[in-house]
Amino acid sequence: MEDQKIIDLIKSQKHDKVFTTLYKYFPVVKKMILANGGRSEDAEDIYQDALIVFYKKASAADFQLTSSINTYLYSICRFMWSDQLKKQQKQISTDIEKVEVNESEFISAIETENQLKLAEKVVSELGERCKELLILFYFQSKKLKDIATKMGYNSENTAKNQKYKCLETAKLKLKALQS
Amino acid sequence: MLGDSQIKAESITILTKIIHNYKNIHAMRKELELIETIENYLKGNLSETDKVAFEKKINENPELKKEVELQKQILKGIERTGLKQSAKQGFKKHKFNKGLKNWGLGGLAVAVIALSSVFVYNNVAKSEHKENAAYDLPELNEQGEKLWSDADKYLEPQNFELNADQDTVVETADGIVIAIPANSFLDANGQPAKGKIQLEVKEALNASDIMKAGLNTKSGDKLLETGGMFYINARQDGASLKIDSKNPLYAEVPTDEVKPGMQLFEGKRLADGSIDWVNPKPIVKDLIPVDILSLNFYPPNYLDSLKSWGYNKKDKKFTDSLYYSFASYFTEEYNKLLEAEAVNHMNWLFNKAANNIYSQQDRLDTTGYKPINNNLFTGPFGINPSKIKAIWNEKFQNTLLATREFEERLPFIFRTCDNEVLDMYINNLDKNLSSIDSMVAQPFNNLPQATEEWDGYKKGYPEFLKFAARGDGKVKNGNTNVRLLKAYYEQKSKMYADAIAKTQNEFWQKQVDANLKAEEKRANYSEKDIVRLEDNFKKELNVNLDEAYRQLGKKRPRPTPEAPYGVHITTTGWLNVDTYVIESTLTRTTLDYTDPQTGKKAVIKYEPLTVSISDYKNYDRVLVYLLPEELNSFMRVANKNEVFEEKLNELMTYKMICIAYKGEESFYFSQDNVKPGSLSVSLVKTTNADIKTNVNKISKRSQSKAMNDELNYFAFEKEEAKRQVELEKINELTNKIRPVIFPCMPAPVYDTTATEKYSYK
């Protein structure tokens, strides 16, 4: 798939297709991380985070692709992995191949994402049903009516109430974690 | 109100609350909008005016500001979680798509060298053989041709002799198991071979054997990955036999890893001594039914968890009834409870929110929230036990459910928490098990509103691919009345669900009734207590007044004060004898009054009695009573730090009774004519009946009635405490085992400690 087509898919929020497609660039990243003291799981985690950073960045109306997506993703991953190695106070191998992408383009986006990790943790640790409900409503923008039918709630109202209950729980947990 | 005796069986009060809450639904709709304000604000859905007003509130109220910030973060957290899920899914799909492509290209294969006949049973003694030399071969191969491959020459033959008209199972040196039904082999005339036949097997299951045999793994010009190769041929009197295609052999080849897409290839000998692999077929394995009741259809770890908590996992009656009781989560009633609980929560949220946002008072907190039932979750959250009950029985004997293979899949089915997956197996009893596996593994979407929008929503369960790859087939000659069984399943699972719900409801309703009854008894008891105290007081006051007036040499005025609790000692600014006597009687302190006119004194002494019980801590409950000769009832002596203290009126004669309980045992002590001072009492073990007899013997008639009521009440309380302990146990076990039965059920969110428990002690 051409890069522009992927960007178009991102703009129309087809994240499923985007992510499935973009995993074709994963092997290069995996190789880089394995060669620099990481394990497969590290590579998967880093790539996942990088996909999200890229996706959000590319969703912005004014986003302009300055290099190929492959290069761009690779740069984000390289930056994230170096950063992680630094945090673990490990030697950074000079073998990490530098590619020509202006890092300043995505550094702030990575930081923003990092700050969201606590909230993500709280949400992902909710019960499965709560999580599903919240994601369907807020992330996938499904209609409450459809959610109620899909998840077996008696009425739209029940789904709505349940949704607020879940939201409230998440807020309380986050509040507890932050204080 | 159940008050302080509120027990954990909160579900009990729900029925009334449901009615109450339903009434509130309409009133609430409006209020709901208020709690949505933050959300609308964050989504930018507020009008300009509302937005400005709300922002003003935010700026004035730091707590509100914090709430808005939290909600904002959570929304972002949800987005991130969603993206992450989508990315993970993308990874899986990517791998899956890649796998499909490879499959299409190459294909993985188990290669079989020329299937013609079979063998088994008894490995005929081998002759000496020189390493790396070729083995002797008959003139003709199994096709009747003079063509042999290198593999034929260099693989060691394993010979078995068997009876052609008997069922036989053979295991080779490397572990290939071959099942040979009787009469599987046909002779040159197409008739089943009779008597002794010789079976020859050659196997190359590992790399070194394959290389030694000079075998390649090519099919045409494509390279195959091999799970092993083997050769089977049977001969009688030197002539090759054919396998009856209607009565084929069944071979299981050991392998470390079953890969999706493995197929069975036939080997075709080429003139150059190599073998080409042709004619691939999917590997399908017949299933052998076993007694369905000998299989374990419980959720994974169910029995072991019970065992580790000290329950008898072999007590099927117990394990069944516990497991099946969870079917009540799938009933209409349960849904209603959920709805009511949601409303309950919303009511609470709204009240809080209204207080906070609009009067800008306290910050939001949850301390006041008390769910009507902590154990409510929105379903479905696991496999419905009534479905298991409907299939785990005689009816499904000899179907693919009655196989070890299905049993192996069940834990995975349980982990999907998806009843549709289970239905898929049950509704396709006539299909190959592996076909059902692959259906389950692929995305499926049979929702009524299935549209493109929902596309890919139900992702399928790729973990079932590895089962699909095993090529498990169906039960040969199994019960094929699929339609009937399907109907049976549907009808029964519903019937069981209803029956279980009914039993459960009846049980809890009984507990509700018992709770209410206990409440009533307790209320009665405390009421009687008050009456008794008042009565005792009046009588004692009467005794004291008589004595005081006698000592002062005055005639006692009539009538006696009627409302002792209402006496205001200084109302008119002067004190008289009565008020002093009332005060002394109330506080149980010595009266020492001097008549200001005559100088005469009235003295009535109150002196302390303390009773300590030896081994006090040993007992669950200790009670000490005084029975004053002058009163119609008894006095219960207050327990202060494990010592019983009372002040004795010198005008009265007291008998004392001490009773204690420990578990099912009762202890007793009594003494006449108790005097002030310190008493140390050792209780004696006895029976409840003896206690009653003794109490009746030493108390006056009017007192024994009251004492009997008292004893009966404690007997009731003891039973009640036992019931509560039982309930507690049920609740505890239920809560502990629930995550095992419903792995997808979220853990309770709200603190359950808000529930007070009634304590017997």
Side-chain angles (χ1 to χ4, degrees):
Chain A
M1 207 182 288
E2 299 149 31
D3 283 1
Q4 194 46 51
K5 210 172 158 198
I6 294 178
I7 301 293
D8 290 346
L9 280 174
I10 292 176
K11 303 255 196 236
S12 52
Q13 300 193 5
K14 301 265 187 216
H15 37 81
D16 277 356
K17 275 194 185 138
V18 172
F19 290 142
T20 309
T21 310
L22 286 183
Y23 264 102
K24 68 179 167 186
Y25 301 132
F26 176 57
V28 197
V29 170
K30 187 171 172 183
K31 206 175 133 198
M32 180 264 291
I33 289 176
L34 291 182
N36 286 281
R39 297 160 306 160
S40 292
E41 302 89 86
D42 298 325
E44 282 169 29
D45 289 347
I46 291 276
Y47 200 71
Q48 230 173 58
D49 281 349
L51 282 178
I52 293 173
V53 169
F54 173 71
Y55 182 89
K56 283 202 181 167
K57 195 108 184 81
S59 312
D62 57 351
F63 178 74
Q64 288 290 329
L65 196 58
T66 52
S67 65
S68 74
I69 294 181
N70 189 2
T71 315
Y72 200 99
L73 273 172
Y74 183 85
S75 307
I76 299 177
C77 291
R78 183 173 54 88
F79 181 85
M80 283 178 154
W81 184 241
S82 315
D83 201 43
Q84 192 160 323
L85 289 179
K86 245 182 260 166
K87 275 183 198 145
Q88 295 167 353
Q89 297 187 322
K90 282 187 188 154
Q91 198 74 37
I92 308 160
S93 156
T94 47
D95 297 348
I96 298 189
E97 189 191 343
K98 277 252 182 189
V99 274
E100 289 310 307
V101 169
N102 189 355
E103 289 186 347
S104 64
E105 267 193 51
F106 52 72
I107 290 179
S108 70
I110 292 177
E111 272 165 19
T112 315
E113 281 307 307
N114 281 343
Q115 284 162 8
L116 289 177
K117 282 187 175 167
L118 195 61
E120 180 207 336
K121 184 175 178 286
V122 166
V123 174
S124 64
E125 285 172 1
L126 289 174
E128 280 303 317
R129 293 276 292 173
C130 258
K131 202 164 76 185
E132 188 181 1
L133 178 56
L134 291 179
I135 286 175
L136 283 175
F137 184 80
Y138 291 107
F139 176 63
Q140 300 194 12
S141 312
K142 301 289 182 208
K143 293 190 196 84
L144 269 178
K145 199 177 132 227
D146 296 338
I147 295 175
T149 320
K150 165 66 203 134
M151 295 186 69
Y153 290 110
N154 277 3
S155 67
E156 199 177 329
N157 216 29
T158 315
K160 195 173 178 183
N161 290 335
Q162 194 60 32
K163 187 191 79 179
Y164 282 116
K165 194 170 168 179
C166 295
L167 206 57
E168 171 74 2
T169 308
K171 278 170 80 178
L172 288 171
K173 284 189 175 170
L174 183 60
K175 199 183 210 171
L177 281 176
Q178 285 179 346
S179 57
Chain B
M1 263 298 290
L2 292 184
D4 66 355
S5 67
Q6 177 100 10
I7 53 149
K8 226 176 161 204
E10 271 184 300
S11 47
I12 291 163
T13 53
I14 286 167
L15 291 178
T16 49
K17 290 202 181 173
I18 289 175
I19 296 161
H20 172 70
N21 282 319
Y22 269 132
K23 284 187 189 154
N24 283 340
I25 282 184
H26 291 287
M28 263 187 49
R29 192 145 299 158
K30 226 171 160 190
E31 298 159 355
L32 252 174
E33 287 161 14
L34 300 173
I35 193 95
E36 282 174 323
T37 309
I38 295 184
E39 181 162 323
N40 284 332
Y41 168 68
L42 290 176
K43 279 187 165 177
N45 291 347
L46 290 186
S47 72
E48 196 53 36
T49 334
D50 288 351
K51 192 181 145 200
V52 171
F54 192 67
E55 275 174 351
K56 188 160 169 271
K57 265 182 197 143
I58 294 178
N59 286 330
E60 285 164 358
N61 183 347
E63 293 296 342
L64 179 59
K65 193 173 181 174
K66 169 95 181 153
E67 288 301 316
V68 173
E69 181 52 33
L70 277 173
Q71 193 154 332
K72 207 155 127 191
Q73 286 183 24
I74 291 296
L75 290 181
K76 288 195 171 160
I78 295 170
E79 188 195 10
R80 204 179 138 79
T81 312
L83 283 171
K84 214 164 191 177
Q85 271 188 3
S86 175
K88 273 184 191 155
Q89 205 54 39
F91 190 34
K92 271 191 200 161
K93 269 193 196 156
H94 171 78
K95 282 195 287 191
F96 186 68
N97 292 346
K98 225 173 100 196
L100 280 182
K101 269 181 216 152
N102 291 352
W103 187 359
L105 281 176
L108 309 158
V110 171
V112 173
I113 305 179
L115 260 184
S116 104
S117 23
V118 184
F119 59 68
V120 177
Y121 190 67
N122 204 343
N123 204 341
V124 175
K126 311 169 210 164
S127 53
E128 283 286 298
H129 180 71
K130 264 193 239 155
E131 184 122 35
N132 298 332
Y135 289 93
D136 293 333
L137 293 167
E139 189 189 358
L140 301 177
N141 68 21
E142 77 284 353
Q143 309 281 354
E145 299 159 347
K146 292 186 182 174
L147 183 59
W148 293 103
S149 69
D150 294 342
D152 294 307
K153 290 173 194 154
Y154 294 109
L155 285 177
E156 182 185 355
Q158 296 176 46
N159 294 300
F160 303 88
E161 188 165 272
L162 53 129
N163 263 327
D165 40 13
Q166 269 176 15
D167 290 337
T168 315
V169 175
V170 170
E171 184 170 355
T172 67
D174 285 344
I176 298 178
V177 174
I178 306 165
I180 305 146
N183 305 320
S184 285
F185 291 103
L186 306 178
D187 62 21
N189 302 323
Q191 293 304 308
K194 297 279 169 207
K196 298 240 183 280
I197 58 172
Q198 292 76 41
L199 185 78
E200 187 186 11
V201 182
K202 291 180 184 183
E203 53 189 358
L205 299 186
N206 52 51
S208 73
D209 283 348
I210 292 170
M211 278 154 64
K212 192 168 101 189
L215 284 165
N216 65 43
T217 51
K218 271 186 170 173
S219 172
D221 53 3
K222 289 172 202 148
L223 200 56
L224 302 174
E225 197 176 329
T226 181
M229 311 178 189
F230 59 98
Y231 163 86
I232 299 172
N233 191 24
R235 290 173 191 260
Q236 192 167 38
D237 304 324
S240 285
L241 301 168
K242 299 266 177 239
I243 294 175
D244 183 353
S245 59
K246 284 182 220 121
N247 198 9
L249 313 188
Y250 172 63
E252 275 187 340
V253 182
T255 172
D256 293 337
E257 192 187 7
V258 178
K259 295 193 173 164
M262 268 200 172
Q263 299 184 72
L264 186 67
F265 285 73
E266 273 176 35
K268 192 176 144 205
R269 295 185 185 86
L270 300 179
D272 64 1
S274 66
I275 291 176
D276 190 17
W277 300 103
V278 297
N279 201 11
K281 289 192 198 95
I283 302 167
V284 174
K285 197 172 97 179
D286 278 339
L287 301 183
I288 297 153
V290 297
D291 179 3
I292 197 165
L293 299 177
S294 72
L295 297 172
N296 178 3
F297 279 13
Y298 289 129
N301 299 325
Y302 174 71
L303 290 178
D304 289 340
S305 300
L306 288 179
K307 192 183 167 205
S308 71
W309 300 328
Y311 293 92
N312 180 5
K313 72 172 188 176
K314 291 194 177 129
D315 181 354
K316 185 107 176 22
K317 220 176 137 189
F318 161 70
T319 55
D320 271 357
S321 76
L322 176 64
Y323 175 58
Y324 295 141
S325 74
F326 279 82
S328 58
Y329 281 84
F330 292 84
T331 55
E332 218 24 49
E333 280 80 2
Y334 183 76
N335 263 327
K336 282 186 193 150
L337 294 188
L338 271 183
E339 186 120 347
E341 167 59 10
V343 172
N344 178 42
H345 183 76
M346 281 313 301
N347 273 333
W348 173 83
L349 266 188
F350 169 69
N351 290 336
K352 280 280 174 192
N355 283 343
N356 289 322
I357 298 176
Y358 297 92
S359 67
Q360 307 194 345
Q361 282 175 352
D362 290 338
R363 63 197 185 87
L364 276 172
D365 69 50
T366 52
T367 47
Y369 179 64
K370 204 170 169 200
I372 50 181
N373 189 332
N374 282 309
N375 299 335
L376 292 177
F377 304 94
T378 48
F381 21 58
I383 298 298
N384 184 346
S386 62
K387 285 178 182 269
I388 296 293
K389 190 170 162 75
I391 56 168
W392 198 6
N393 59 54
E394 293 290 339
K395 278 273 180 204
F396 287 85
Q397 293 285 25
N398 204 24
T399 66
L400 60 76
L401 303 186
T403 59
R404 297 254 171 243
E405 287 77 7
F406 177 69
E407 188 186 37
E408 255 181 278
R409 283 152 176 81
L410 257 178
F412 291 84
I413 297 174
F414 276 113
R415 278 182 209 118
T416 67
C417 298
D418 186 343
N419 286 290
E420 281 180 57
V421 172
L422 181 63
D423 288 349
M424 204 93 105
Y425 284 93
I426 301 166
N427 292 334
N428 289 292
L429 295 177
D430 51 342
K431 309 265 179 11
N432 281 331
L433 196 51
S434 56
S435 316
I436 309 175
D437 296 330
S438 53
M439 282 196 288
V440 172
Q442 286 155 25
F444 55 110
N445 200 341
N446 49 3
L447 299 164
Q449 76 276 36
T451 59
E452 226 201 344
E453 199 195 348
W454 285 96
D455 185 22
Y457 179 71
K458 193 136 199 179
K459 301 149 203 142
Y461 301 95
E463 63 267 32
F464 282 80
L465 273 181
K466 73 168 203 263
F467 287 120
R470 291 193 192 172
D472 289 335
K474 49 186 138 187
V475 174
K476 220 172 134 192
N477 305 323
N479 187 339
T480 48
N481 208 337
V482 176
R483 272 221 334 250
L484 207 72
L485 285 172
K486 207 167 144 178
Y488 175 85
Y489 163 67
E490 273 156 18
Q491 182 204 338
K492 281 290 171 178
S493 57
K494 174 145 195 343
M495 204 188 84
Y496 287 141
D498 291 346
I500 290 160
K502 193 165 164 251
T503 318
Q504 288 274 301
N505 286 345
E506 276 171 8
F507 174 78
W508 287 110
Q509 191 54 49
K510 246 191 218 159
Q511 305 307 319
V512 176
D513 294 345
N515 275 7
L516 291 175
K517 209 175 122 197
E519 224 18 68
E520 205 184 312
K521 282 211 174 191
R522 278 184 203 118
N524 267 340
Y525 177 70
S526 23
E527 200 185 321
K528 262 194 209 157
D529 238 21
I530 293 168
V531 173
R532 179 173 51 77
L533 283 173
E534 194 178 323
D535 197 49
N536 281 353
F537 175 82
K538 278 193 216 159
K539 294 253 160 48
E540 187 159 350
L541 180 63
N542 210 21
V543 171
N544 288 350
L545 280 171
D546 278 352
E547 175 64 12
Y549 279 103
R550 193 193 58 76
Q551 288 186 22
L552 295 172
K554 282 188 175 177
K555 191 170 186 275
R556 187 176 161 194
R558 299 285 163 178
T560 42
E562 265 304 320
Y565 292 125
V567 168
H568 293 249
I569 293 173
T570 54
T571 37
T572 52
W574 54 274
L575 305 173
N576 62 17
V577 185
D578 281 11
T579 51
Y580 277 113
V581 175
I582 289 168
E583 192 188 2
S584 141
T585 312
L586 257 180
T587 55
R588 302 187 76 75
T589 47
T590 297
L591 173 77
D592 188 351
Y593 174 77
T594 313
D595 189 331
Q597 289 160 357
T598 62
K600 280 192 178 173
K601 284 186 123 208
V603 175
I604 300 170
K605 275 196 214 153
Y606 274 97
E607 284 173 304
L609 165 74
T610 61
V611 181
S612 37
I613 309 288
S614 52
D615 288 332
Y616 176 87
K617 288 195 193 312
N618 222 356
Y619 303 106
D620 296 338
R621 177 159 201 158
V622 181
L623 297 153
V624 175
Y625 299 94
L626 290 173
L627 305 173
E629 205 47 53
E630 293 73 12
L631 302 185
N632 286 332
S633 190
F634 59 84
M635 298 164 66
R636 201 180 311 114
V637 182
N639 179 348
K640 285 177 193 149
N641 301 323
E642 306 180 5
V643 174
F644 294 84
E645 291 179 19
E646 187 51 280
K647 286 173 187 144
L648 303 187
N649 185 336
E650 62 171 338
L651 304 177
M652 314 211 312
T653 317
Y654 295 94
K655 288 173 184 165
M656 182 178 74
I657 292 174
C658 308
I659 298 167
Y661 300 102
K662 180 192 174 188
E664 291 305 308
E665 295 171 351
S666 309
F667 301 84
Y668 181 77
F669 174 86
S670 68
Q671 186 182 323
D672 285 355
N673 202 14
V674 178
K675 295 289 174 203
S678 287
L679 269 179
S680 212
V681 167
S682 289
L683 296 166
V684 178
K685 196 175 156 186
T686 178
T687 63
N688 282 331
D690 281 349
I691 290 180
K692 272 198 181 164
T693 320
N694 281 322
V695 166
N696 287 335
K697 209 161 33 185
I698 71 167
S699 50
K700 299 199 302 184
R701 248 188 70 191
S702 57
Q703 288 172 334
S704 74
K705 162 88 175 68
M707 272 311 290
N708 274 328
D709 286 353
E710 178 89 355
L711 290 176
N712 288 340
Y713 177 75
F714 285 117
F716 156 78
E717 247 346 337
K718 219 165 105 182
E719 286 308 307
E720 178 64 12
K722 262 197 257 170
R723 186 178 68 94
Q724 299 298 352
V725 168
E726 279 307 307
L727 270 186
E728 189 63 26
K729 271 193 207 153
I730 293 173
N731 271 319
E732 212 186 289
L733 177 59
T734 307
N735 288 331
K736 263 201 302 194
I737 199 76
R738 189 189 300 107
V740 177
I741 294 177
F742 298 137
C744 301
M745 186 175 265
V749 169
Y750 290 96
D751 186 14
T752 53
T753 52
T755 318
E756 288 169 41
K757 278 188 289 181
Y758 177 76
S759 153
Y760 172 62
K761 193 152 186 172

